[in-house]
Amino acid sequence: MLIGEIITVALDALRANKLRSLLTMLGIIIGVGAVITMIALGSGAQKSVQDRIQALGPTLLNVSPGQSFNRGVASSSRVSLTLDDDTALANNARYVTAVVPELSSNLQVELGDQNINVNVVGTTPNYVPVHTYAMTAGRMFTAGDDAARHRVAVLGASVPAMLSSNRDAMIGQQILIRSIAFEIIGVLSEKGAQGFSNPDEQILIPLQTARYRIMGTDRLRSITVDAADLKHMTLAMIEIERVLRREHKIRPGAENDFQIRNQADVLATFQETTETFTYLLAGIAAVSLLVGGIGIMNIMLVSVTERTREIGVRKALGATKNHILLQFASCACWVG
């Protein structure tokens, strides 16, 4: 019976002070809503980073040309990677499942009256599975296309829009790369921008076609290496370094004339930044909740102060501290 009376008194108090009850509710709703929203934003950002890591390929290593050194002094000329380096890595590096050479340059591309400047990449058919792409239209060129130096091209996801054309309608059309006609045979899936580069704004052509028909060189921009798994990333980097030092005839103790970048390390740094951002959001949410709680405490203090005489009468009639506390706590619960 006591509980029922307390609830009745609490509801009467709420009806008598509607504005105060509304403000208390707002304090609770805004505080809790801020916490939920901030945590959701932080979790979403972390999930986005994890998806980006999986999209880029967490086991990929990028080998790029570096500088040559003479007695510890860097030379002004850069040492190039060649197809011989690619072959040596494919044949001799353990803990590696795939090696993809990339010969690229920014070139003019024409389709009808449209003219754009994009990155044209000469590579092998392994480029698509290693970089975790899918074909949204058409097909990827084959090893036979590469060996025969066929003039075929696979477009990045953003290229059709850049050329003001429909993706599916472009299959089979001709584009001009450095005024040389290429047949469009496929379109890649979308990756999204990655820092200062956008892999969706590129065109893939067979490596040998790029070497002999377009660029006239076997100097590679980079070699992408897919390690066996995350556990063997370090061993794969050691093997790559060993093979390339032997190919480049680098003496023991001398500096490498190439660079090996671990993509997972870069993305891990990005993930740490995202986690810091999450903590910042959580701090802001905590402050919002604290402010809302202080507002509620202030309203409750006013409620108790206004009822000092009522509390005295209740105590004189035998009410305990717990009974009085339960009355005001029930008010707060009903507001929440």
Side-chain angles (χ1 to χ4, degrees), residues 105-111 116 118-122 151-155 159 163 174-184 202-206 209-210 213-215:
S105 180
N106 283 351
L107 300 173
Q108 292 297 121
V109 177
E110 301 174 55
L111 175 65
I116 60 174
V118 294
N119 189 36
V120 177
V121 181
R151 291 175 295 177
V152 292
V154 175
L155 309 183
V159 175
L163 291 170
Q174 299 280 330
I175 59 172
L176 298 180
I177 301 177
R178 294 189 66 176
S179 301
I180 300 175
F182 279 75
E183 179 187 356
I184 301 172
Q202 66 179 2
I203 297 176
L204 306 183
I205 61 176
T209 305
R213 296 181 183 271
I214 299 296
M215 302 174 190

Side-chain angles (χ1 to χ4, degrees), residues 297-329:
M297 288 189 290
N298 183 46
I299 293 175
M300 295 302 296
L301 178 62
V302 172
S303 298
V304 173
T305 304
E306 287 180 346
R307 298 183 181 181
T308 302
R309 186 172 299 175
E310 179 185 342
I311 293 172
V313 173
R314 285 178 176 275
K315 294 184 70 174
L317 294 175
T320 64
K321 290 183 178 180
N322 289 335
H323 292 157
I324 296 170
L325 178 62
L326 183 60
Q327 175 189 348
F328 289 98

Side-chain angles (χ1 to χ4, degrees), residues 7-312:
I7 293 175
T8 301
V9 172
L11 291 175
D12 291 339
L14 294 177
R15 282 192 290 266
N17 300 278
K18 294 179 180 179
L19 180 59
R20 183 184 301 173
S21 302
L22 177 62
L23 293 175
T24 306
M25 291 174 60
L26 285 177
I28 296 174
I29 293 170
I30 293 174
V32 174
V35 172
I36 295 174
T37 301
M38 296 304 180
I39 292 176
L41 287 174
S43 299
Q46 288 185 343
K47 182 62 168 59
S48 176
V49 172
Q50 292 172 357
D51 291 343
R52 181 64 58 84
I53 292 174
Q54 294 301 320
L56 294 179
T59 59
L60 295 187
L61 298 169
N62 182 270
V63 184
S64 58
Q67 290 180 314
S68 61
F69 290 84
N70 184 16
R71 297 180 180 179
V73 179
S75 170
S76 58
S77 60
R78 294 181 66 86
V79 175
S80 298
L81 295 174
T82 66
L83 291 176
D84 291 337
D85 296 323
D86 168 72
T87 303
L89 288 175
N91 294 336
N92 301 307
R94 295 176 294 175
Y95 311 109
V96 167
T97 59
V99 179
V100 181
E102 298 176 23
L103 177 64
S104 68
S105 180
N106 283 351
L107 300 173
Q108 292 297 121
V109 177
E110 301 174 55
L111 175 65
D113 59 352
Q114 300 293 320
N115 189 306
I116 60 174
N117 187 285
V118 294
N119 189 36
V120 177
V121 181
T123 187
T124 61
N126 283 339
Y127 186 96
V128 168
V130 167
H131 287 273
T132 62
Y133 277 102
M135 301 301 300
T136 58
R139 65 175 180 87
M140 182 62 176
F141 50 77
T142 64
D145 292 324
D146 186 26
R149 306 176 192 173
H150 287 164
R151 291 175 295 177
V152 292
V154 175
L155 309 183
S158 298
V159 175
M162 296 172 67
L163 291 170
S164 303
S165 184
N166 178 271
R167 181 194 67 187
D168 297 322
M170 294 188 72
I171 303 299
Q173 291 189 28
Q174 299 280 330
I175 59 172
L176 298 180
I177 301 177
R178 294 189 66 176
S179 301
I180 300 175
F182 279 75
E183 179 187 356
I184 301 172
I185 62 172
V187 179
L188 297 172
S189 58
E190 185 176 359
K191 280 281 188 177
Q194 301 169 7
F196 296 103
S197 64
N198 188 348
D200 295 331
E201 298 178 356
Q202 66 179 2
I203 297 176
L204 306 183
I205 61 176
L207 178 65
Q208 298 301 328
T209 305
R211 179 182 179 185
Y212 291 103
R213 296 181 183 271
I214 299 296
M215 302 174 190
T217 180
D218 66 347
R219 305 299 181 183
L220 303 175
R221 179 197 65 178
S222 64
I223 300 174
T224 299
V225 180
D226 190 11
D229 51 53
L230 289 173
K231 296 179 181 179
H232 296 99
M233 289 287 284
T234 302
L235 292 175
M237 294 177 70
I238 293 173
E239 282 295 307
I240 293 169
E241 182 178 12
R242 177 185 64 82
V243 172
L244 290 183
R245 285 181 67 89
R246 185 182 63 196
E247 285 296 309
H248 293 190
K249 297 180 174 57
I250 300 175
R251 295 179 180 179
E255 296 286 341
N256 291 333
D257 59 5
F258 54 88
Q259 297 176 339
I260 305 174
R261 292 186 177 89
N262 187 340
Q263 197 160 243
D265 290 342
V266 177
L267 293 172
T269 302
F270 183 44
Q271 189 167 16
E272 290 175 3
T273 304
T274 305
E275 289 177 355
T276 303
F277 176 66
T278 302
Y279 296 145
L280 175 63
L281 292 179
I284 295 174
V287 171
S288 301
L289 188 60
L290 177 62
V291 171
I294 291 174
I296 294 171
M297 288 189 290
N298 183 46
I299 293 175
M300 295 302 296
L301 178 62
V302 172
S303 298
V304 173
T305 304
E306 287 180 346
R307 298 183 181 181
T308 302
R309 186 172 299 175
E310 179 185 342
I311 293 172

